[in-house]
Amino acid sequence: MRKNDRSEKALRTVSIEPGFSLHAEGSCLITVGNTKVICTASVDEKVPPFLRNTGKGWVTAEYGMLPRSTGSRMDREAARGGQSGRTHEIQRLIGRSLRAVIDLTALGERQIKVDCDVIQADGGTRTAAITGGFVALYFACKHLVDQKLIKTLPIKDHVAAISAGVVKGQSVLDLDYDEDSTAETDANFVMTGKGGIVEIQSTAEGEPFQLEQFQSMFDLAKSGINDLIKLQMKVMYPELS
Amino acid sequence: MRKNDRSEKALRTVSIEPGFSLHAEGSCLITVGNTKVICTASVDEKVPPFLRNTGKGWVTAEYGMLPRSTGSRMDREAARGGQSGRTHEIQRLIGRSLRAVIDLTALGERQIKVDCDVIQADGGTRTAAITGGFVALYFACKHLVDQKLIKTLPIKDHVAAISAGVVKGQSVLDLDYDEDSTAETDANFVMTGKGGIVEIQSTAEGEPFQLEQFQSMFDLAKSGINDLIKLQMKVMYPELS
Amino acid sequence: MRKNDRSEKALRTVSIEPGFSLHAEGSCLITVGNTKVICTASVDEKVPPFLRNTGKGWVTAEYGMLPRSTGSRMDREAARGGQSGRTHEIQRLIGRSLRAVIDLTALGERQIKVDCDVIQADGGTRTAAITGGFVALYFACKHLVDQKLIKTLPIKDHVAAISAGVVKGQSVLDLDYDEDSTAETDANFVMTGKGGIVEIQSTAEGEPFQLEQFQSMFDLAKSGINDLIKLQMKVMYPELS
Amino acid sequence: MRKNDRSEKALRTVSIEPGFSLHAEGSCLITVGNTKVICTASVDEKVPPFLRNTGKGWVTAEYGMLPRSTGSRMDREAARGGQSGRTHEIQRLIGRSLRAVIDLTALGERQIKVDCDVIQADGGTRTAAITGGFVALYFACKHLVDQKLIKTLPIKDHVAAISAGVVKGQSVLDLDYDEDSTAETDANFVMTGKGGIVEIQSTAEGEPFQLEQFQSMFDLAKSGINDLIKLQMKVMYPELS
Amino acid sequence: MRKNDRSEKALRTVSIEPGFSLHAEGSCLITVGNTKVICTASVDEKVPPFLRNTGKGWVTAEYGMLPRSTGSRMDREAARGGQSGRTHEIQRLIGRSLRAVIDLTALGERQIKVDCDVIQADGGTRTAAITGGFVALYFACKHLVDQKLIKTLPIKDHVAAISAGVVKGQSVLDLDYDEDSTAETDANFVMTGKGGIVEIQSTAEGEPFQLEQFQSMFDLAKSGINDLIKLQMKVMYPELS
Amino acid sequence: MRKNDRSEKALRTVSIEPGFSLHAEGSCLITVGNTKVICTASVDEKVPPFLRNTGKGWVTAEYGMLPRSTGSRMDREAARGGQSGRTHEIQRLIGRSLRAVIDLTALGERQIKVDCDVIQADGGTRTAAITGGFVALYFACKHLVDQKLIKTLPIKDHVAAISAGVVKGQSVLDLDYDEDSTAETDANFVMTGKGGIVEIQSTAEGEPFQLEQFQSMFDLAKSGINDLIKLQMKVMYPELS
């Protein structure tokens, strides 16, 4: 059995606390089980060089972990003099995922930087960062509309992410750190509110896996992402509930 | 008048939430007004080279700010490729302050790394880091005693820190960011529970200041540090209240 | 139509020239259309710290591009002072893929470093690096057997990789640079000789994609990887043909 | 007794040799006992970005030590790939101290960079750098007046610095390296010709110290700084003597 | 005797394959014995800051070695975080040598970057890079003429380079790696088609050498460079043969 | 005519002040015209990894320039994050030159680091560094003998260096900065007391040069180095004069 009698299809307890930051244009604290990520979205009126004078905007993401967010302390990346390959890989994934649902032309020639900082880690930090990062990004866009800097929200759809894996031969949703460490296969899925797929990453940790296993992970993830998007909606449109 | 009708002698609202981190041997979240710092203390059984085979331990500190802990987003130090001079200066100050009240021989040949990560900044982050860092350090030491790795707490005294300054000609305690930006003189004081001075740093931001101004800042700080140490005691020895 | 009247199911012209390097224990030059990658496998009798005294070995990969391997010159990573996020991501992928088919215990406590250096790029460099890197790795293992350093080849299966994508609404195999630049969806597949899946990475470049599209890309890739493995076999076991 | 029968109130032998550098707009070699620091002030007609088009100037400082300026050779910071925390802390202190007596508006939109390079170290290098750096800065300003680039000297007051400490229970002025290594408390004071305080930094090296000890160090420093400023005046205004 | 019965005056087998790169404006693969260097010349319409608005152009060179171009694998410079002193020294030499025969005014305000990447090393990589780099540079200049961006070739003369040395008391031309490792004296010569000297670098590896030895190395080099320039001409002006 | 009526064969005024540093085992200040270099030799009882347990020692050199040693201020290499290609090239040259006259076996398994720091530059800093570095190295070796750590001086010969060049068609010795900037050809020569050649570096700055010009520069250098070695001898063996 999984910890806390969780079924193989069940997400851990998830909460999203919007407006977590005093300063950021958009922000939230997302909690998925023991994983906690602060997501802030900062508006920058400058775009990267390749977009200057195009009228188009950009969304980018950065990711970090506090040194003792993990079971044993990790060296601080700033002290080591640079970001690891894993960090680069994750922030590229978050950025791509968020841009998939943003209308960069409607955003106008400005950049939104989404910072996802893990203050406590227990598996699934990158997927939590995408799910929470989208909420922070939404509120930053809303701020731009409220400030009358843009007319309409440049958001085409929701986006959220979750992990699935094969643990002891069984496909399960939303792995915690212990499950992740022993999984035979590990996958991350990023999907939109309309059910489109934005990103699939699936890796055999031990033996290669088969298409059927992939499909059962996909089905679990699709259902989990549906639930995450419902939670995003509650937080983003409180007037609807 | 100061914000929230605060008198010149008054601290902002301070709270210390111990056990904030699931993983660290000692931890707290310290909140001073809108300033919030996560402090974790991690035990490392290895010491720096200069202490190997001496039987003595070490306490060191690292300091960081989340990119959007501040009013406008700062670049991430890990992405810029290194820590700024300001960061180095602050983490050296925190480390010295904590070591001043630790019996390094009683700690044994191990190192405690205290990480102070600012998740929201509104002035006074380095002094909050010292005050909270000491609490995290205490709990890590207590953990070592509980684990029977050492016999007695290697802690000689409390230590806490606060800022004072001269704003519009008036000496005031515990400056927030707006006050700090307009202060004529800015000082940080680190003192122990027994009233000893560990560190004084006082800087003229505009005109040079006089010894009398320094003394009135010192008096405010001494009183403020007394209050902070009382709060530390409540959190550290709940059985006493 | 695709360039050179290529059908959507067809690989570009692929060749693998083994023994390309005078010095390396194993090597090849892999050519896939206009993409050319030199793969060398170097035996190092030292393992990374986490494997010392375990009796187990390790396989790792590094990836680089010559500055003018691309249409417009890229700055040299050594001159910029470090490897990009993309480089880190690719070398992690190559390493994971190769380790999936290696028996690290049978390899013994030594490391094989597989260097994949792109001397000309026209799409698909990371998948060519995996397909060619496996051949270089095989010859380095064979060298260890020939030198009687190990008794049997520590290789459990073949591994190869290929890209697929959706271009103008059509699923196609093995995208060149121009196709990759205009693809709606882009995927990389790594599979073994026995048909197991080692890694799937699939990304929507524009609109999100659907499961059906993913499946048609998967089918194309499976067939393409079969062909690549047949080619590997010709090169690796010339005595069989 | 102190070395050379020095009393607790006495400075070491101090000399300032102006015009030490052939190239710099202002320069001196300051010698305090065995501590020798070359100070040069270089005029740069460009200001840092935050001052562009403000009409205001800037003064900044850099600090370095030759590898064998110290008792045992230190690694060269350029070879290690960056400046240490201690270096950053010292150059920030020198810069703040010099700016405290400069009228940045009168300087005009240009920058003066004061380089303080320790060629031999025996304690008190940072305070010698401030005292000598001011002399170099004065001559660079005089050069600007002589060149008719500004009309009047943009200098509001003298500034100088000295250390004091508590050694074996006794407050003493101007610690050499051996005294500094055994001091119970160590303090640096920066003051102006009119007696204003620019910076106080006081640190307990062992036991915390008391306000009375601080005050006796302050008194020593005030007197020592008076003497240093008299020496600066001799060098700067030879026509007066 | 030397390997392959080579006389002391003989070059190793040299070949130059022009047009080796699909993308570069000029390129070749130069092979000298077992040494192989890919040379590409890339036109950049921007010049370094010190040449902006001067109407003059620039030629610069970069040099790299694949990690397993050598007998034992070298760490990748990009992974180590920077280029070694040896690399800097070589690329400065290549750049100076090429600029010696280019009319930078006739080139116009643009830069040509010549990349020399060693894919297999067996001594003499820097001299091969100069000899091959000149061929790549020529074809890039020819491309500019063909594109009517400049009217005439901005090339004043040929340039080529070769090593000579004293091995077992005997002066020999074009040392391979084994000879280079045992040479008493090692020299590199860069000369033009008209016999002018562009650069001489001669180093005693063991005992100091005498002027007579230097002169016999010079004579060997002069003859070898003549042969290399004849080969360049065959490749550059095929219509002449 | 040259500055100060110097003939084409004449060195600038040269002086060597031994024992310049309080701390280093060997040191001097060498002055050549307006060029001033502090040379210190530091004994380190550890050797680089490739010499451990061989019984052989090593001599290495580092080179630096103070930021305002030059006519216009250069950025500090430590602040820029690393040493330039020019610095690497020079320190490799100094190290090779000094090792040429040292018996590394007689030195024993220890390292001497020679630091050459330019405090004022006016051409010829690298050759002054070699000439002065040898004196510092001698005194460090003498210190080892005096300390009875080795029995005899591990020095086989003197070594010194000087520049020569072709300025306005005339071969001249010991170029100052202005001459160096306008020289058609520039050469550095390193030779021993017995007249052996250790290193020749000769570069055409504009037009290629001819062997005759090289020979006349060589003759000037040989004579100049003789004079420098006489000066070294006066400083090193005062008892002889």
Side-chain angles (χ1 to χ4, degrees), chain C residues 53-212:
Chain C
N53 303 317
T54 63
K56 288 183 66 175
W58 194 243
V59 173
T60 190
E62 295 193 12
Y63 171 93
M65 300 183 85
L66 294 198
R68 197 53 196 276
S69 60
T70 44
S72 55
R73 186 182 181 277
M74 295 185 314
D75 283 341
R76 198 175 283 268
E77 292 193 320
R80 278 201 320 243
Q83 294 171 305
S84 70
R86 177 185 173 275
T87 294
H88 278 118
E89 195 169 325
I90 291 174
Q91 50 199 19
R92 285 157 56 92
L93 170 64
I94 302 170
R96 278 199 309 272
S97 299
L98 297 177
R99 284 192 298 274
V101 293
I102 294 292
D103 179 341
L104 296 171
T105 303
L107 175 58
E109 198 169 314
R110 60 176 57 82
Q111 187 171 201
I112 300 182
K113 291 185 180 168
V114 178
D115 286 288
C116 302
D117 284 274
V118 178
I119 60 174
Q120 194 166 277
D122 187 30
T125 62
R126 79 187 71 186
T127 51
I130 293 168
T131 305
F134 175 71
V135 174
L137 177 58
Y138 165 82
F139 283 107
C141 290
K142 197 158 174 294
H143 170 88
L144 289 171
V145 172
D146 292 348
Q147 298 287 313
K148 300 195 199 279
L149 289 162
I150 52 177
K151 287 195 185 153
T152 54
L153 280 174
I155 292 182
K156 299 185 291 185
D157 201 346
H158 278 243
V159 68
I162 199 69
S163 75
V166 180
V167 179
K168 297 178 195 150
Q170 168 91 42
S171 295
V172 295
L173 183 67
D174 186 19
L175 285 64
D176 67 19
Y177 179 79
D178 286 340
E179 291 173 327
D180 192 63
S181 306
T182 58
E184 292 105 52
T185 297
D186 180 17
N188 290 303
F189 296 88
V190 185
M191 299 191 208
T192 66
K194 293 173 190 143
I197 308 167
V198 171
E199 183 105 14
I200 293 172
Q201 293 186 340
S202 184
T203 303
E205 299 292 337
E207 291 301 297
F209 58 94
Q210 304 302 320
L211 189 57
E212 298 69 46

Side-chain angles (χ1 to χ4, degrees), chain A residues 23-234:
Chain A
H23 300 301
E25 285 78 25
S27 69
C28 72
L29 170 70
I30 182 165
T31 304
V32 180
N34 285 319
T35 290
K36 296 182 187 182
V37 185
I38 298 177
C39 303
T40 60
S42 300
V43 176
D44 182 354
E45 290 296 321
K46 273 186 294 190
V47 287
F50 70 93
L51 285 176
R52 275 183 208 145
N53 302 318
T54 64
K56 286 183 66 175
W58 194 244
V59 172
T60 190
E62 295 194 10
Y63 171 92
M65 299 184 84
L66 295 198
R68 196 55 195 276
S69 58
T70 45
S72 55
R73 187 181 180 278
M74 297 184 314
D75 284 341
R76 198 174 282 268
E77 292 193 319
R80 278 202 319 244
Q83 294 172 306
S84 70
R86 178 185 172 274
T87 294
H88 278 117
E89 195 169 326
I90 292 174
Q91 49 199 18
R92 284 157 56 93
L93 170 65
I94 302 171
R96 278 199 309 273
S97 299
L98 296 177
R99 284 192 298 275
V101 292
I102 294 292
D103 179 341
L104 295 172
T105 303
L107 175 57
E109 197 168 313
R110 58 177 57 83
Q111 187 171 202
I112 300 182
K113 291 184 180 169
V114 177
D115 286 288
C116 302
D117 284 275
V118 178
I119 60 174
Q120 194 166 276
D122 187 29
T125 62
R126 79 186 72 186
T127 50
I130 293 168
T131 306
F134 175 70
V135 174
L137 177 58
Y138 165 82
F139 282 108
C141 290
K142 197 158 174 290
H143 169 88
L144 289 171
V145 172
D146 292 348
Q147 298 287 313
K148 300 193 199 279
L149 289 162
I150 51 178
K151 287 195 185 154
T152 54
L153 280 175
I155 292 181
K156 299 186 290 184
D157 200 347
H158 278 242
V159 69
I162 200 69
S163 75
V166 180
V167 179
K168 297 178 195 153
Q170 168 90 43
S171 294
V172 295
L173 182 68
D174 186 18
L175 284 65
D176 67 19
Y177 179 79
D178 287 340
E179 291 174 327
D180 191 63
S181 306
T182 59
E184 291 104 54
T185 297
D186 181 18
N188 291 302
F189 296 89
V190 185
M191 300 190 206
T192 66
K194 293 171 191 144
I197 308 168
V198 170
E199 182 105 15
I200 293 172
Q201 293 187 339
S202 185
T203 303
E205 299 291 337
E207 292 300 297
F209 58 94
Q210 304 301 321
L211 189 58
E212 298 70 48
Q213 290 173 308
F214 174 78
Q215 276 162 334
S216 75
M217 293 190 294
F218 179 85
D219 293 342
L220 288 172
K222 185 155 196 172
S223 159
I225 285 173
N226 264 345
D227 292 347
L228 290 170
I229 287 176
K230 278 180 202 153
L231 182 61
Q232 287 177 337
M233 294 176 83
K234 268 198 197 161

